[in-house]
Amino acid sequence: MADRIQRRKDKQAKESAEKTRDGKELKNEGDNFQENGGGPSTEQLSTNDVTASDKNGDLQVEPIELPPFEIIAGDRIDPFAFKFQFKNVEYSSGRNKTFLCYLVDKGNTANGLLRGCLEDEHSGSHAEEAFFTQCLPDYDSSLKYTITWYMSSSPCSACAAKIVDVLNTKKNIKLTIFASRLFEFEEQEIQNGLKSLHKAGCKLRMMKPLDFSYIWDTFVENEDQPLNLWEDCKDSYEYYHEKLSDILQ
């Protein structure tokens, strides 16, 4: 029991430190992005959250009322959202959304390659489920679908079960998932979900540094700005790759 409490305290401390560091990094990136002519300044952005200073000079934060849950679809995602949500940190404090970038190859058809992005919050229908209802509404059993997902985190157990059901009933769909992070991978039900995906023929991969660069070039509104990968990107990839290998062995 004492060990469990200590691990929980250690995790909370790491999450707090990571959140502070991410906030500083995103502010610096926002300043640099503005200097290069892209997006609003961080001063403009901050006025959405801060109203005024109190007598001691401390900023007063106005509570924000979140809009109703919805799935957001498009073909490009915000660069700051990408750098925060796709960052492959071990402790993902504050990252309560799933971003799913997808490529769909229907084989020898005139439609070419289908590309886009989905965004959700963990409070309703997740991006994985929405993909099959919104992005493949005209599913054709005579075609061979090769689908690639680039996700900010791996599927939860409920989504894994739904994906397995699709793969088992629609044998002409081949799915590969590249994930930036493993979602709650210490939980047994999550591990079982990943194993069931693997057994159903889904290829599971962790994102390498080159994959992040590909997403930046292909799915992000980057304003022709280069991607500067975070310092521990490769180390984090190796960490998650080892964890995934242990789960699927």
Side-chain angles (χ1 to χ4, degrees):
M1 178 64 71
D3 291 342
R4 182 181 301 174
I5 294 174
Q6 185 60 46
R7 286 198 301 270
R8 186 177 300 171
K9 289 182 179 179
D10 292 342
K11 181 176 181 180
Q12 291 173 344
K14 289 183 179 180
E15 286 180 343
S16 178
E18 183 64 40
K19 190 172 183 179
T20 300
R21 186 177 69 176
D22 282 342
K24 292 179 180 178
E25 288 178 355
L26 286 176
K27 182 182 184 304
N28 292 335
E29 289 168 358
D31 293 341
N32 294 335
F33 196 63
Q34 174 62 22
E35 290 174 359
N36 291 324
S41 68
T42 53
E43 180 179 357
Q44 292 173 320
L45 290 173
S46 65
T47 58
N48 293 329
D49 300 327
V50 179
T51 56
S53 299
D54 64 9
K55 295 180 180 179
N56 297 323
D58 295 330
L59 295 177
Q60 300 298 298
V61 179
E62 180 179 336
I64 299 175
E65 182 178 352
L66 295 177
F69 171 81
E70 63 177 341
I71 295 288
I72 301 174
D75 59 2
R76 296 277 177 174
I77 61 179
D78 179 82
F80 303 111
F82 166 78
K83 290 182 179 180
F84 180 71
Q85 298 290 349
F86 274 87
K87 192 172 184 180
N88 58 348
V89 292
E90 179 181 353
Y91 299 99
S92 53
S93 176
R95 294 168 174 84
N96 58 348
K97 295 184 177 183
T98 297
F99 282 78
L100 189 160
C101 303
Y102 61 85
L103 296 171
V104 179
D105 185 354
K106 298 181 181 180
N108 296 324
T109 66
N111 296 330
L113 196 66
L114 179 64
R115 186 194 72 185
C117 306
L118 295 173
E119 170 189 345
D120 73 15
E121 294 180 353
H122 294 303
S123 57
S125 178
H126 291 180
E128 298 94 322
E129 181 179 4
F131 170 83
F132 293 106
T133 57
Q134 294 188 19
C135 303
L136 291 182
D138 301 321
Y139 166 78
D140 187 343
S141 60
S142 66
L143 298 178
K144 292 183 178 180
Y145 293 83
T146 301
I147 301 173
T148 304
W149 289 354
Y150 297 91
M151 300 184 63
S152 55
S153 64
S154 60
C156 66
S157 57
C159 286
K162 293 175 181 178
I163 297 170
V164 168
D165 182 60
V166 171
L167 296 179
N168 286 337
T169 56
K170 300 177 179 179
K171 297 295 186 179
N172 59 328
I173 292 181
K174 302 299 180 184
L175 176 63
T176 300
I177 298 178
F178 289 86
S180 170
R181 303 181 304 275
L182 290 177
F183 175 71
E184 296 185 355
F185 63 90
E186 295 176 343
E187 300 295 330
Q188 188 61 51
E189 64 176 357
I190 297 295
Q191 295 183 16
N192 292 340
L194 295 174
K195 290 178 181 178
S196 65
L197 283 170
H198 180 66
K199 185 178 180 180
C202 176
K203 296 180 180 178
L204 296 169
R205 304 286 188 271
M206 301 310 303
M207 289 185 197
K208 299 178 180 179
L210 186 62
D211 296 318
F212 291 103
S213 297
Y214 173 76
I215 298 171
W216 176 261
D217 292 336
T218 308
F219 296 102
V220 178
E221 296 176 352
N222 57 44
E223 300 289 340
D224 294 325
Q225 298 296 318
L227 173 64
N228 296 317
L229 288 171
W230 41 99
E231 182 179 356
D232 54 354
C233 180
K234 185 175 184 295
D235 291 340
S236 295
Y237 156 72
E238 292 174 350
Y239 169 82
Y240 277 121
H241 175 72
E242 181 179 354
K243 295 298 181 183
L244 180 60
S245 297
D246 291 341
I247 291 172
L248 299 182
Q249 67 180 2

